[in-house]
Amino acid sequence: MQQIPGAWQRTARGAGLLAPDGSAIPTIFAEMSALAASTGALNLGQGFPDEDGPEAVLDAAREAIAAGINQYAPGRGFPDLLAAVAEHQKRFYGIDLDPGREVLVTVGATEALAATLLALIDGPDDEVVVFEPYYDSYAACIALSGAKLVPVPLRWPDFQPDLEQLASAVTDRTRVILVNDPHNPTGSVFSSEARDEIVRLAHRHDAIIVTDEVYEHLVFDGPHVPIATHPDAADRTLTISSAGKTFSLTGWKTGWVSGPAELVSAVMAVKQFLTYVGGSPFQPAAAVGLRLPDTFFASVASEMAAKARLLGTGLRAAGFDVSSPGGSYFTVVNAAPLGATDADAFCRELPARAGVVGIPLTAFVTPAHRDRYATLVRFAACKRVEVLANAAERLAGMAR
């Protein structure tokens, strides 16, 4: 068998990971992390922290293992974590949830997204509107579901959508409007006008809003505003989040989806046949994290903002044009002032030039729109302060 048929091909093609000869190629994260390892460069490409999360949360996981919480969790998740998610949504956003019917624990936000799209997409005539550039798993999951991805470009340097383009993209064929706020890879936070228009269009065209809010506690200027708090959005919005980004525990892969009971049950119908359940001892630990005091959540936002400023200083000193992020782990720069014409080639050369690894934004866009982002690069600020200071010094050295 020279070529293996199957849904993997459209999944890989959707994510831009199918070579001309039909073989699968690695993700940009795997490539650039390997490049960092082989060159000794500082890896500001992949968005994972290099510090562990709160000791109380780590201790809770250890205690759960010691107490024998090592077998399958209930299908929807342990009741205490379901309750903690509901408490969290009420505490921070005033959202009332029935923890037994309107919350579902998943294996990270990635599984929540995959199960949601597979549950809600009904066939190849369905469309999913996404904001471009987009996290690469969006394109892969949409392709796997068989739906059509409809991109709405975000514009340098503030990375807000053009509302007329958004209105043109959403039609009666739109099944899902997929929103990532705060946004990966750009670090932008959507304006209230953009949120209002998303809700208006979803009502007009009877679409479901799916929000990826994993960076909800990493917003730098004011509190995060979930779309589900919009008075006209609660009955058609599924909200996805996880413990990974807030608590610097990305390897735990513990996430959740919440929203109207009938939508959550639809996701559950698919999710139970993907992974069934996730890691049991991490669930009571995530519940501990969600109940940490307000001072913890304020500190993670302020610390990440300070790291973004430190990284931004080094990037500006290096000669990049720098977009100021409103949240998340990420800062996007324009490398054109340094002579770049192709972000992918620039990033492959950067370890030798500066000893730092970044990710080309062209890895997160449809082929037809690559020119819009041809010289833009994403860097991750979710590293130790001393690593970021070293990276800033290395980058600034390019200008000397």
Side-chain angles (χ1 to χ4, degrees):
M1 185 180 296
Q2 290 186 338
Q3 192 173 72
I4 300 172
W8 76 270
Q9 289 190 33
R10 69 170 181 267
T11 305
R13 186 180 298 110
L17 300 178
L18 197 67
D21 66 358
S23 62
I25 59 177
T27 68
I28 191 66
F29 303 110
E31 285 192 68
M32 301 311 290
S33 290
L35 186 59
S38 66
T39 62
L42 300 176
N43 189 357
L44 303 190
Q46 197 163 1
F48 60 87
D50 57 2
E51 298 176 282
D52 276 339
E55 198 64 32
V57 179
L58 301 177
D59 285 344
R62 297 183 188 104
E63 291 164 6
I65 293 171
I69 304 178
N70 300 305
Q71 308 308 322
Y72 292 132
R76 283 185 176 262
F78 281 114
D80 190 48
L81 179 52
L82 299 177
V85 172
E87 292 165 16
H88 171 276
Q89 295 301 93
K90 178 67 173 179
R91 169 185 170 190
F92 287 100
Y93 312 125
I95 297 173
D96 289 306
L97 293 171
D98 177 345
R101 301 173 63 246
E102 297 181 319
V103 184
L104 171 66
V105 176
T106 59
V107 182
T110 303
E111 190 204 28
L113 174 76
T116 297
L117 291 173
L118 291 171
L120 299 180
I121 298 302
D122 199 33
D125 292 333
D126 286 345
E127 296 180 351
V128 180
V129 171
V130 300
F131 294 90
E132 183 181 54
Y134 43 75
Y135 183 50
D136 60 347
S137 78
Y138 296 178
C141 289
I142 292 166
L144 177 61
S145 75
K148 178 183 177 183
L149 183 153
V150 178
V152 175
L154 301 178
R155 302 165 299 178
W156 166 271
D158 62 353
F159 293 110
Q160 294 295 317
D162 180 289
L163 299 187
E164 290 185 3
Q165 287 184 322
L166 173 60
S168 296
V170 181
T171 70
D172 290 345
R173 293 186 300 277
T174 303
R175 180 64 172 155
V176 170
I177 304 174
L178 179 54
V179 182
N180 181 199
D181 184 27
H183 187 259
N184 174 16
T186 68
S188 65
V189 171
F190 278 21
S191 68
S192 59
E193 292 80 8
R195 293 193 300 270
D196 289 346
E197 183 67 353
I198 290 165
V199 175
R200 186 188 73 82
L201 292 167
H203 265 272
R204 180 178 178 181
H205 297 285
D206 195 25
I208 296 169
I209 303 168
V210 176
T211 67
D212 174 353
E213 302 181 20
V214 296
Y215 297 101
E216 61 184 314
H217 289 294
L218 299 175
V219 179
F220 304 152
D221 300 307
H224 171 61
V225 180
I227 282 184
T229 62
H230 193 289
D232 296 325
D235 64 343
R236 63 175 64 246
T237 300
L238 283 170
T239 301
I240 293 170
S241 194
S242 77
K245 304 305 190 296
T246 297
F247 304 114
S248 296
L249 297 167
T250 60
W252 284 18
K253 299 299 293 178
T254 301
W256 46 85
V257 57
S258 62
E262 62 275 17
L263 290 178
V264 172
S265 293
V267 178
M268 172 70 179
V270 172
K271 179 264 183 296
Q272 65 190 343
F273 297 112
L274 295 179
T275 59
Y276 180 43
V277 292
S280 289
F282 299 135
Q283 293 193 31
V288 168
L290 290 171
R291 293 177 174 130
L292 287 173
D294 290 356
T295 51
F296 166 77
F297 293 95
S299 70
V300 294
S302 62
E303 289 169 8
M304 189 56 63
K307 289 180 176 182
R309 287 193 299 270
L310 175 61
L311 176 60
T313 298
L315 293 166
R316 290 183 179 91
F320 293 103
D321 284 342
V322 181
S323 173
S324 297
S328 86
Y329 283 170
F330 306 110
T331 295
V332 172
V333 304
N334 189 348
L338 297 179
T341 57
D342 181 329
D344 186 81
F346 178 86
C347 286
R348 294 178 191 282
E349 297 165 0
L350 190 60
R353 292 181 63 181
V356 176
V357 164
I359 298 287
L361 229 61
T362 47
F364 306 103
V365 303
T366 52
H369 291 164
R370 284 177 64 93
D371 287 351
R372 295 173 183 254
Y373 308 97
T375 59
L376 303 185
V377 178
R378 188 195 81 173
F379 292 97
C382 53
K383 309 297 179 181
R384 298 188 312 277
V385 169
E386 57 268 30
V387 173
L388 294 172
N390 188 357
E393 184 177 347
R394 294 184 184 193
L395 291 164
M398 289 198 302
R400 293 196 289 267

